[in-house]
């Protein structure tokens, strides 16, 4: 099985690219969805977050209030590190489990859609790293709209992520999402066809 590691800054358009890859035949493992699942009440990451940040991050229903948590966690480097220590081991464990399941099922291509693919070392589970890039202003606007943030909060989240230049340096494939959706989709299809050609030539399964 070939594993594509799909990453990029928040609001770059990874979700759209992942959806197109799924339409082309890839199985998608969504790290963000897993991150939401592992912090549900009763799960170990939920307990770890409450221990790290206190009950003030909980909503009335006992679930993690993601906006409250983000305001605290993105306030300093030390707080962000606490967030990562509380959640990343559980997220990575589940990602590994799902990739193993796909491999055992005979899946040919899996996409690991992970914003922190490079920061967490998850690229070690992949065969190629695909980086989606977008205009910074678009990223701020998309992130603010999606997460209900103001501009300052959205910019803080982007600053907390890896520098775009470093992502590009480590990319095998760059998907430029600064143009029209049709232009971006053409790039995705071209990269997919190159990968399919590689597999037909005897790439490892």
């Amino acid at each position: 099985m070939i594993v594509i590691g799909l990453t990029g800054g928040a609001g770059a358009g990874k979700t759209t690219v992942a959806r197109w890859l799924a339409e082309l035949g890839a199985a998608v493992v969504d790290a963000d969805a897993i991150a939401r699942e592992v912090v549900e009440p009763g799960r170990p990451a939920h307990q770890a977050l409450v221990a790290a940040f206190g009950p003030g991050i909980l909503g009335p229903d006992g679930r993690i209030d993601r906006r409250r948590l983000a305001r605290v966690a993105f306030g300093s480097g030390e707080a962000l590190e606490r967030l990562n220590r509380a959640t990343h081991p559980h997220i990575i464990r589940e990602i590994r489990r799902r990739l193993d399941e796909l491999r055992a099922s005979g899946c040919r291509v899996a996409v690991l859609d992970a914003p922190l693919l490079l920061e967490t070392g998850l690229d070690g589970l992949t065969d190629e790293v695909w980086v989606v890039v977008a205009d910074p202003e678009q990223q701020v606007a998309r992130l603010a709209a999606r997460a209900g943030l103001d501009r300052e909060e959205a910019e803080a989240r982007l600053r907390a992520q890896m520098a775009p230049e470093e992502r590009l340096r480590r990319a095998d494939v760059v998907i430029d999402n600064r143009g029209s959706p049709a232009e971006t989709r053409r790039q995705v299809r071209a990269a997919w066809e190159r990968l399919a050609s590689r597999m037909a030539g005897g790439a490892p399964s």
Side-chain angles (χ1 to χ4, degrees):
M1 181 174 79
I2 289 180
V3 181
I4 298 168
L6 180 66
T7 194
K14 295 181 302 299
T15 301
T16 299
V17 171
R19 185 176 71 248
W20 290 338
L21 287 168
E23 291 171 1
L24 289 167
V28 177
V29 176
D30 184 340
D32 271 350
I34 291 172
R36 289 190 291 271
E37 292 169 17
V38 301
V39 299
E40 283 294 301
R43 302 288 293 271
H46 181 279
Q47 299 162 22
L49 282 173
V50 175
F53 294 101
I57 62 170
L58 299 177
D61 59 358
R63 287 183 161 83
I64 301 293
D65 184 314
R66 294 174 66 84
R67 188 164 186 181
R68 287 185 194 174
L69 174 61
R71 283 176 174 164
V72 175
F74 288 94
S76 71
E78 185 275 333
L80 184 58
E81 181 59 29
R82 270 190 287 151
L83 170 68
N84 293 342
R85 285 198 304 268
T87 58
H88 285 177
H90 305 285
I91 296 167
I92 291 169
R93 189 177 302 117
E94 180 62 15
I95 286 170
R96 286 180 177 274
R97 188 189 69 78
R98 295 193 190 186
L99 288 174
D100 287 345
E101 280 189 351
L102 288 171
R103 191 172 285 108
S105 74
C107 175
R108 293 282 285 158
V109 182
V111 174
L112 173 52
D113 177 2
L116 300 181
L117 181 85
L118 301 173
E119 293 91 329
T120 56
L122 282 168
D123 55 313
L125 303 178
T126 71
D127 298 287
E128 293 190 354
V129 172
W130 292 21
V131 173
V132 183
V133 297
D135 179 79
E137 283 297 318
Q138 289 180 317
Q139 289 182 252
V140 170
R142 289 172 185 160
L143 180 57
R146 184 180 70 206
L149 306 175
D150 60 31
R151 182 182 181 85
E152 184 175 336
E153 290 171 324
E155 289 176 341
R157 288 207 192 180
L158 287 171
R159 284 195 302 271
Q161 295 185 340
M162 178 178 285
E165 296 79 13
E166 177 63 13
R167 282 199 208 92
L168 290 174
R169 187 183 70 79
R170 297 170 64 177
D172 297 298
V173 174
V174 176
I175 304 296
D176 188 339
N177 195 28
R178 290 173 292 190
S180 69
E183 290 169 344
T184 304
R185 191 161 192 163
R186 279 195 293 271
Q187 295 173 62
V188 173
R189 178 172 287 279
W192 176 265
E193 289 174 352
R194 178 196 53 79
L195 185 64
S197 176
R198 171 187 163 195
M199 292 173 65
S205 61

